[in-house]
Amino acid sequence: MDEALLRSLTPSVLAVLVRRGADFAAAEDAVQDALVEAVRVWPADPPRDAKGWLVTVAWRKFLDATRSDTARRRREGRIDEEPVPGPTPAVDDTLQLYFLCAHPSLTPSSAVALTLRAVGGLTTRQIAQAYLVPEATMAQRISRAKRTVSGVRFDRPGDVATVLRVLYLVFNEGYSGDVDLAAEAIRLTRQLAAAIDHPEVAGLLALMLLHHARRASRTAPDGALVPLAEQDRTRWDTAAIAEGVRILQAALARDRLGEFQAQAAIAALHADAPTAEETDWVQIVEWYDELARLTDSPVVRLNRAVAVGEADGPRAGLAALAAIEDSLPRHAAAAAYLHERAGDLTTAARLYAEAAHKAPNLAERDYLTRQAARLNSHGRH
């Protein structure tokens, strides 16, 4: 049973049903039923045309549901429209599904869940496990999202920026349960890049590959967080780095800079440095300047302040940090690092402890707590 094949076919099969007139919610239910049937039947009797088989079964599932719904009798006429068995047209409407699932009327969490279900082909159980919520909760979220987009015209042009934000949200969830969301986000972004020629799509794919290349070195065997400067660079995936850089260079050559290309450029400079000490921090600051111009994001300015601290010294970094609201997440952690670099260990220890208290996850909290303890221990000796 080729689960990867099923996932790759899911969006195009769903698109066929929607093109034939099925509303999104009913079509998505029918496709899921067809996938279940495929899991049952294919191991013993694999079809010659996998997509055609799924389209035929999904359409029949949709028609069965339509027949049994007395409130929708007016749609019975569609029964006569069942196509003659044969090759399925090669038209791929996956791109429209991306836009539909990232519709602005949906909350980010609902858009992510619907994208994983309709475009990614994941089950509700898999998505619920990945997001550490009960399956019933995720089922309700997906059902609400499907109802929201069911009345949306399928041929309306979509917003690429919204689709990319949804995919980046998926990527940043990383790994949980039996679904590797970072790998899934890369797969979906590759699919999108094949469907649309857009430099920011390429920029996001490059960014994902460059970040993912460092994944194996980000945690110690005991699960402890390993910061970038201390990572074992021999464990980085050089093939993924090379691919990410190649994709980024092609995107940048088109001279239509966007935020994901700028972020990927920063990631590429980190990946290109043989050691942490050889990192080109001056160029990284320049890219953060571009990114700040594109996004006007306080998080970007925070990261820029740390980069300035590396390029021009910790006092310069602290001066840049002083212009940023100190309630910003990870502000205390950045200040602690820069104060330690500047030799103010007492202030750094206090800020590390404060940052640990505000940490968004357990691994980060433990790392910051250890940093505070290390400096406090140093002060006692």
Side-chain angles (χ1 to χ4, degrees), residues 59-243:
W59 185 249
R60 286 175 179 164
K61 296 285 186 184
F62 165 70
L63 293 178
D64 288 344
T66 300
R67 288 189 186 99
S68 64
D69 188 351
T70 57
R72 299 179 183 178
R73 288 186 184 277
R74 63 185 181 279
R75 297 165 60 182
E76 287 290 334
R78 293 200 184 113
I79 295 171
D80 298 326
E81 298 174 12
E82 183 168 357
V84 176
T88 304
V91 177
D92 186 359
D93 291 318
T94 302
L95 181 59
Q96 280 74 17
L97 284 181
Y98 276 95
F99 292 132
L100 195 64
C101 293
H103 194 269
S105 63
L106 295 172
T107 64
S109 61
S110 294
V112 165
L114 193 58
T115 299
L116 288 172
R117 167 87 177 224
V119 185
L122 302 185
T123 66
T124 303
R125 180 186 61 81
Q126 288 174 318
I127 301 169
Q129 283 186 341
Y131 283 90
L132 304 177
V133 299
E135 185 173 349
T137 300
M138 185 56 69
Q140 290 176 347
R141 184 180 300 173
I142 292 172
S143 294
R144 285 195 300 269
K146 288 196 294 184
R147 287 195 300 270
T148 299
V149 301
S150 281
V152 176
R153 283 174 59 87
F154 191 61
D155 56 355
R156 288 175 55 187
D159 178 11
V160 174
T162 302
V163 174
L164 295 182
R165 280 194 294 273
V166 168
L167 289 172
Y168 198 38
L169 283 172
V170 174
F171 179 78
N172 283 323
E173 289 297 330
Y175 175 84
S176 185
D178 64 352
V179 178
D180 185 338
L181 289 180
E184 183 65 14
I186 291 172
R187 184 183 76 83
L188 294 176
T189 306
R190 284 191 191 279
Q191 195 175 60
L192 182 61
I196 182 172
D197 183 20
H198 193 293
E200 272 293 82
V201 177
L204 177 59
L205 179 57
L207 176 62
M208 288 178 175
L209 289 168
L210 290 164
H211 279 323
H212 203 54
R214 303 200 301 263
R215 174 172 171 170
S217 63
R218 285 202 184 101
T219 54
D222 63 356
L225 190 67
V226 180
L228 177 60
E230 299 172 21
Q231 288 175 14
D232 179 359
R233 298 182 180 223
T234 64
R235 300 183 66 197
W236 290 1
D237 184 342
T238 54
I241 290 172
E243 183 186 7

Side-chain angles (χ1 to χ4, degrees), residues 186-364:
I186 291 172
R187 184 183 76 83
L188 294 176
T189 306
R190 284 191 191 279
Q191 195 175 60
L192 182 61
I196 182 172
D197 183 20
H198 193 293
E200 272 293 82
V201 177
L204 177 59
L205 179 57
L207 176 62
M208 288 178 175
L209 289 168
L210 290 164
H211 279 323
H212 203 54
R214 303 200 301 263
R215 174 172 171 170
S217 63
R218 285 202 184 101
T219 54
D222 63 356
L225 190 67
V226 180
L228 177 60
E230 299 172 21
Q231 288 175 14
D232 179 359
R233 298 182 180 223
T234 64
R235 300 183 66 197
W236 290 1
D237 184 342
T238 54
I241 290 172
E243 183 186 7
V245 169
R246 184 173 66 252
I247 292 170
L248 173 63
Q249 288 174 337
L252 291 174
R254 300 178 64 176
D255 199 24
R256 289 169 53 196
L257 184 64
E259 61 178 289
F260 288 117
Q261 294 169 75
Q263 288 187 59
I266 293 168
L269 286 166
H270 284 299
D272 188 52
T275 65
E277 293 73 24
E278 295 173 86
T279 303
D280 188 347
W281 286 105
V282 172
Q283 195 172 351
I284 286 175
V285 171
E286 292 174 356
W287 275 111
Y288 271 122
D289 288 338
E290 291 286 350
L291 191 54
R293 180 181 60 80
L294 289 165
T295 66
D296 192 32
S297 163
V299 174
V300 169
R301 293 199 298 273
L302 177 72
N303 291 331
R304 178 189 178 277
V306 175
V308 168
E310 299 287 358
D312 301 329
R315 295 297 176 191
L318 287 167
L321 193 64
I324 302 168
E325 177 61 48
D326 61 8
S327 62
L328 192 70
R330 297 191 172 91
H331 187 286
Y337 173 74
L338 291 170
H339 275 289
E340 181 182 359
R341 289 276 319 283
D344 186 353
L345 303 188
T346 301
T347 301
R350 175 179 57 80
L351 288 169
Y352 275 129
E354 179 185 327
H357 182 70
K358 300 176 180 177
N361 57 66
L362 184 61
E364 196 168 327

Side-chain angles (χ1 to χ4, degrees), residues 17-33:
L17 267 65
V18 174
R19 282 291 183 198
R20 288 180 180 174
D23 70 81
F24 182 86
E28 207 276 333
D29 287 340
V31 171
Q32 291 295 322
D33 288 341

